[in-house]
Amino acid sequence: MDRPVRVRYAPSPTGPQHLGGVRTALYNFLFAKKQKGTFIIRIEDTDQTRFVEGAENYMLESLKWCGITHDEGPGVGGNYGPYKQSERKHLYRQYADQLIESGHAYYAFDTPEELDAMRERMKASGIPNPQYGAATRDYMKNSLVLPHDEVKTRLANGEQFVIRMKMPRKEEIKLQDLIRGWVVFQSSQLDDKVLFKSDGMPTYHLANVVDDYLMEITHVIRGEEWLPSAPLHVMLYKCLGWEDVMPHFAHLPLILRPDGNGKLSKRDGDRLGFPVFPLNWTDPETKENSIGFRERGFFPEAFANMIALLGWHPGSVQQELFSMEEMIQLFTIEHIGKSGAKFDFEKAKWFNHEYMKKADSKILATDFKKVLSEKGITDSDEHITAICESLKQRCTFISEFWDNSFYFFTEPTVYDEQIVKKKWNEKTKEIMKELSASLLGQTDFSFSALDTFLHSFVKEKNLNTGDVLPVLRIMLSGTKNGPAVYELASLLGKEKSIERMAKAEAEFDKMISV
RNA sequence: GGAGCGUUGGUCAAGGGGUUAAGACGCUUCCCUUUCACGGAAGAAUCACGGGUUCGAUUCCCGUACGCUCUACCA
């Protein structure tokens, strides 16, 4: 089968998509690009009762943010449209009818109450999982058991009905999953799934197969939760006569919660304090707000990289940091893992930090500038950029920048008491006075010049660095943490450095005296 | 309950019949720096368990256990 590769991501707009959904989209995207194929987005909105306002747009925005772009689908069009199942409503019935004609499906008139009654009855007689299938369909109200005339009149009277798949009584259904190999199911274990609902809409199963066929999809890459219904889909291809163009299947492992067991959910994020959604999301019903990775400060590249490696690894390459382009080049379905991966927020942060370190300080500066201007602080681009250059070494998110650099923009008002009490005395006071004076004569305030200046000062005066550097640091910034002292002084500039030393001297005296 | 899928260090994972079983995150210790971070070094796994097959199994087969998914006129 050498048809051009066409894959799709087919979410249903029932809420904000989370990590798992983005990853499914990403894998589809990577595969399509690697194979020089087409990546399609199709909206599966066949259940109007679960429709959530804004969910579709949210999904589109999320993928855009991650750098996952589609070739066909909402917003971009394509030759296989429309790409929203609600707009394709008219297409499905004919295929359901075709299945009825060929004897693979049938009308069922059972009411929900009757269905419940059947299940109760079966349970009472010792069957724990009653199914509408080979064992029970003969006792239900459907076109298999009702006289033809009655079926006709019921239909003619506009009575409510569904169309169900007639699962063969005893048949082996095999499918070759690209990730898991051959998977075998017995049709006797499968039930007569509803294909066409009484509201005139198809169910996922029918719509999915019909659309994949019509859109000439070659590979279905979706979550593992679909594996149990895959045999139904295979049957559908067979019964519709499309077996020769049936797509390949690849069922992705799930993303699990970091602690304990089970699928990652919004609850876990709330409980453990990390996002599970790519973007901020406000529930239109409850107005409840959920933070997104973007708003938490993640770079889209870091997020995509991190999410891709949750279940996939190119193998022999010893590397974890990949650009989208690299991932496309390296992507193969064979290298997708079989088992679920627990999401680890610490690792996610590590990815961001790595991207932070590699980020262009000029770009970081433009973002940090916004934070500064909110605080009423203005400064030159060059200076902010230089500070960012230092900051990106120790910060994972831009949101941490201010706490690690406020002393460059505002004069210190509090000084680390421990250090002052420990280091401040007549001797150090004298030293710092000398240092201040000699700093005044220092013209070159570059990193390297100050570095050598400071060290030679210590050496010439026969001092210990411990008597000079920590004190100078506190004088300049007030805090004991931060970049190297020469860097600190350099970024502050000569004038401010000397000013602050003078001010600190007086403050230190006060602190010591009490 | 049933069906399907899965199980390599706390986590992500490479590998695959014979190896000292990669690497990363996190953790601990050390070096660098009298700071934080960065960087460097080191430490920690009888490859879930039990049987086979084999000269040899973490790798192949079969069980068991555990976990997950599905079991709707939801996707």
Side-chain angles (χ1 to χ4, degrees), chain A residues 17 22 57-68 277-279 294 303:
Chain A
Q17 73 172 352
V22 181
N57 202 44
Y58 177 91
M59 184 270 306
L60 260 13
E61 284 273 309
S62 300
L63 297 187
K64 205 163 123 192
W65 176 66
C66 297
I68 302 170
F277 300 126
L279 274 36
R294 181 177 66 185
F303 178 72

Side-chain angles (χ1 to χ4, degrees), chain A residues 134-240:
Chain A
T136 47
R137 61 177 164 241
D138 290 347
Y139 309 99
M140 304 301 289
K141 229 179 270 174
N142 58 52
S143 60
L144 260 21
V145 292
L146 262 22
H148 284 306
D149 290 348
E150 187 181 337
V151 173
K152 257 184 200 166
T153 44
R154 278 174 183 264
L155 256 22
N157 291 344
E159 231 179 87
Q160 294 246 306
F161 68 91
V162 299
I163 296 172
R164 283 180 183 274
M165 182 76 179
K166 186 184 173 190
M167 264 296 159
R169 204 167 283 271
K170 200 172 179 336
E171 197 171 305
E172 199 168 70
I173 305 168
K174 291 165 78 172
L175 74 110
Q176 193 173 26
D177 186 276
L178 263 19
I179 294 171
R180 292 152 210 289
W182 284 103
V183 184
V184 184
F185 297 86
Q186 301 302 326
S187 70
S188 55
Q189 299 291 340
L190 274 17
D191 62 346
D192 291 353
K193 277 272 179 299
V194 171
L195 301 175
F196 200 85
K197 299 184 275 188
S198 59
D199 65 0
M201 281 292 242
T203 59
Y204 169 87
H205 306 292
L206 211 221
N208 190 261
V209 167
V210 167
D211 285 343
D212 283 348
Y213 167 74
L214 259 19
M215 294 183 180
E216 296 179 28
I217 299 301
T218 55
H219 300 260
V220 170
I221 303 168
R222 73 224 309 188
E224 193 184 359
E225 67 269 27
W226 293 109
L227 194 48
S229 54
L232 198 220
H233 305 153
V234 171
M235 281 301 294
L236 248 14
Y237 279 101
K238 278 189 190 170
C239 297
L240 257 1

Side-chain angles (χ1 to χ4, degrees), chain A residues 22 26 42 58 61 73 77 79-80 104 123-124 129 161 167 233 246 260 281-283 329 350 384 397 435 447-448 509:
Chain A
V22 181
L26 178 58
R42 185 174 71 219
Y58 177 91
E61 284 273 309
N79 297 326
Y80 296 78
H104 295 296
K123 271 184 195 163
N129 60 327
F161 68 91
M167 264 296 159
H233 305 153
M246 184 171 79
W281 167 259
T282 306
D283 188 301
Q329 290 316 317
W350 174 80
I384 297 175
F397 303 111
L435 178 59
F447 285 3
S448 59
D509 282 345

Side-chain angles (χ1 to χ4, degrees), chain A residues 499-511:
Chain A
E499 261 176 40
R500 288 191 185 186
M501 285 178 80
K503 186 192 168 197
E505 191 189 311
E507 294 289 332
F508 287 5
D509 282 345
K510 270 192 257 172
M511 287 169 74

Side-chain angles (χ1 to χ4, degrees), chain A residues 397-502:
Chain A
F397 303 111
I398 291 176
S399 59
E400 296 165 355
F401 276 17
W402 173 252
D403 284 346
N404 285 281
S405 68
F406 63 90
Y407 44 79
F408 286 119
F409 308 101
T410 60
E411 282 206 17
T413 51
V414 285
Y415 297 90
D416 190 289
E417 215 176 287
Q418 258 195 323
I419 306 283
V420 174
K421 291 213 160 133
K422 194 173 154 195
K423 302 273 185 186
W424 194 245
N425 51 43
E426 284 309 314
K427 189 189 162 204
T428 48
K429 186 173 172 177
E430 207 47 48
I431 293 170
M432 298 321 284
K433 272 190 172 161
E434 285 179 44
L435 178 59
S436 175
S438 108
L439 225 32
L440 199 58
Q442 175 72 13
T443 46
D444 189 349
F445 243 62
S446 69
F447 285 3
S448 59
L450 272 185
D451 190 20
T452 51
F453 169 84
L454 253 17
H455 279 102
S456 55
F457 177 85
V458 170
K459 216 174 178 182
E460 276 168 30
K461 308 270 172 189
N462 223 324
L463 300 164
N464 291 321
T465 43
D467 293 325
V468 183
L469 265 27
V471 185
L472 178 56
R473 169 187 300 286
I474 304 295
M475 288 182 125
L476 298 180
S477 74
T479 73
K480 59 182 178 185
N481 294 345
V485 179
Y486 66 82
E487 218 174 305
L488 175 61
S490 170
L491 287 169
L492 227 34
K494 183 166 158 181
E495 198 180 321
K496 272 195 181 146
S497 294
I498 289 168
E499 261 176 40
R500 288 191 185 186
M501 285 178 80

Side-chain angles (χ1 to χ4, degrees), chain A residues 29 33 39-41 60 63 68-77:
Chain A
F29 171 77
K33 295 297 124 182
F39 174 54
I40 298 148
I41 289 179
L60 260 13
L63 297 187
I68 302 170
T69 52
H70 54 294
D71 305 305
E72 291 178 27
V76 301

Side-chain angles (χ1 to χ4, degrees), chain A residues 373-391:
Chain A
S373 71
E374 273 171 33
K375 297 179 187 293
I377 293 165
T378 52
D379 200 341
S380 75
D381 288 355
E382 295 72 34
H383 194 221
I384 297 175
T385 302
I387 289 167
C388 287
E389 182 67 26
S390 157
L391 245 19

Side-chain angles (χ1 to χ4, degrees), chain A residues 245-257:
Chain A
V245 290
M246 184 171 79
H248 298 284
F249 290 99
H251 289 93
L252 267 23
L254 268 16
I255 297 178
L256 277 15
R257 53 204 284 192

